[in-house]
Amino acid sequence: MGQTTAVSHDTTDDEAACMHALSLLSGFVAPMTLKAVIELGLIDELLAADGQAVTPEELVAAGRWPRPAEAAAAVDRMLRFLATHSVVRCTTEVGPDGKDRRSYAATPVCKWLTTRNGGQGSMAPLWMMNLDKAFMETWYYMKDAVTEGVTPTEKAYGMPLFEHLESNEASSVLFNQAMGGHSEIITKKLLERYRGFEGIDGLVDVGGGTGVTLRMITAQHKDMRGVNYDLPHVIAQAPPIQGKLLGESYTVCIFTINPTPLWWMPHIPFC
Ligand SMILES: C[S@@+](CC[C@H](N)C(=O)[O-])C[C@H]1O[C@@H](n2cnc3c(N)ncnc32)[C@H](O)[C@@H]1O
């Protein structure tokens, strides 16, 4: 019979199993801490330091928060914890008072978590959406969705995901920014490797969101005309793309990137 566990554990080591259970139940702590660190602008501050280690006090000074000593202590704790997840690099020195003084520097993953340029090309918008309160709400209905045979979004909001997004502008904007940021990363790589767009006159992106993917493809293939096909409330948020009109005879390729079923199924229950 096949093994389906990702990690093989010694079945006789009860202490290791106990620690495994503990680490599983604390799994939300790192993403939630990182969300706060992104929102506080600390990732962007560390990136701006360009590899130089920065103390919590220096980071807090940039934020101008009203209780800097308390804020610095909290920032130190959050970053020290995130250093154990290789998000930042921690350096410790003994200060003149004999106490440890820590400083922090960005690691390569920080580039993917920046909010600079509106988070374009970063996973920060996706991070914000996944952990947003309104999106997290659906996770609380996972059990009911299984027992009742509906989706968690239907349980939480009484309708499927895309209907809910149509009636909730804040969530819709968050969702579209998350999709755009993620698609920019994928499409950049796609355009480096994929040659299938060559010779295509017209391209229809089915479920193309706010058109990030199509804009990138048509920017590289100047003779191509793109059609971004999505729901009206999504198209309303999509900036116009300058492009070429199609002639009378053309070949059209229909494609989708970041498709909903594939994208969500492994880890997101709320569709
Ligand atoms: C996972 S998102 C992908 C977004 C987009 N491909 C991107 O990369 O940013 C799925 C998209 O399908 C759209 N969608 C869902 N149902 C649709 C329908 N019936 N007709 C057109 N688009 C739809 C959603 O509005 C959403 O933008």
Side-chain angles (χ1 to χ4, degrees):
M1 207 188 275
Q3 268 270 42
T4 52
T5 46
V7 189
S8 95
H9 293 283
D10 178 354
T11 52
T12 60
D13 190 343
D14 195 43
E15 243 173 65
C18 176
M19 293 314 291
H20 186 203
L22 195 59
S23 70
L24 285 175
L25 80 84
S26 311
F28 68 95
V29 179
M32 288 304 287
T33 305
L34 187 46
K35 177 178 185 284
V37 163
I38 293 171
E39 288 174 308
L40 289 167
L42 300 175
I43 294 291
D44 290 345
E45 288 289 331
L46 290 171
L47 285 168
D50 206 18
Q52 297 292 317
V54 188
T55 64
E57 290 74 19
E58 288 167 331
L59 287 166
V60 164
R64 295 191 184 88
W65 296 312
R67 300 174 68 184
E70 287 80 358
V75 164
D76 188 23
R77 287 189 72 174
M78 290 195 291
L79 293 182
R80 187 159 37 133
F81 168 65
L82 290 179
T84 68
H85 289 263
S86 305
V87 176
V88 295
R89 187 166 43 80
C90 176
T91 312
T92 308
E93 289 171 353
V94 180
D97 55 1
K99 290 185 179 166
D100 282 351
R101 293 165 66 91
R102 282 175 287 277
S103 53
Y104 299 93
T107 69
V109 77
C110 291
K111 171 192 150 187
W112 301 100
L113 302 170
T114 181
T115 61
R116 292 188 289 199
N117 303 322
Q120 282 293 303
S122 156
M123 291 179 203
L126 189 57
W127 209 278
M128 292 304 136
M129 182 202 79
N130 277 355
L131 298 179
D132 175 72
K133 251 188 189 175
F135 282 90
M136 287 295 286
E137 178 73 6
T138 60
W139 288 92
Y140 290 90
Y141 293 93
M142 209 168 176
K143 173 180 69 66
D144 306 295
V146 172
T147 56
E148 296 176 30
V150 294
T151 67
T153 308
E154 285 170 314
K155 273 305 289 179
Y157 296 114
M159 59 187 92
L161 174 66
F162 292 113
E163 273 178 43
H164 164 63
L165 292 180
E166 187 177 358
S167 61
N168 187 313
E169 197 186 350
S171 288
S172 173
V173 168
L174 207 56
F175 181 87
N176 292 331
Q177 285 171 346
M179 294 303 105
H182 189 229
S183 292
E184 185 173 332
I185 295 168
I186 297 171
T187 308
K188 197 168 168 218
K189 292 288 171 200
L190 178 77
L191 288 169
E192 282 168 17
R193 292 168 170 81
Y194 182 65
R195 296 286 156 258
F197 295 127
E198 283 163 17
I200 300 284
D201 301 318
L203 189 68
V204 182
D205 187 352
V206 180
T210 53
V212 170
T213 304
L214 201 62
R215 192 173 311 114
M216 291 174 76
I217 296 171
T218 52
Q220 184 160 317
H221 298 272
K222 303 259 184 237
D223 288 335
M224 179 191 283
R225 187 191 175 192
V227 177
N228 187 27
Y229 180 80
D230 209 294
L231 297 168
H233 72 278
V234 178
I235 296 300
Q237 293 173 36
I241 309 173
Q242 292 300 321
K244 182 179 178 285
L245 288 176
L246 277 178
E248 280 184 2
S249 153
Y250 51 85
T251 55
V252 172
C253 173
I254 298 182
F255 88 113
T256 183
I257 195 163
N258 213 348
T260 302
L262 290 179
W263 198 88
W264 297 112
M265 268 169 54
H267 59 301
I268 306 284
F270 49 66
C271 271

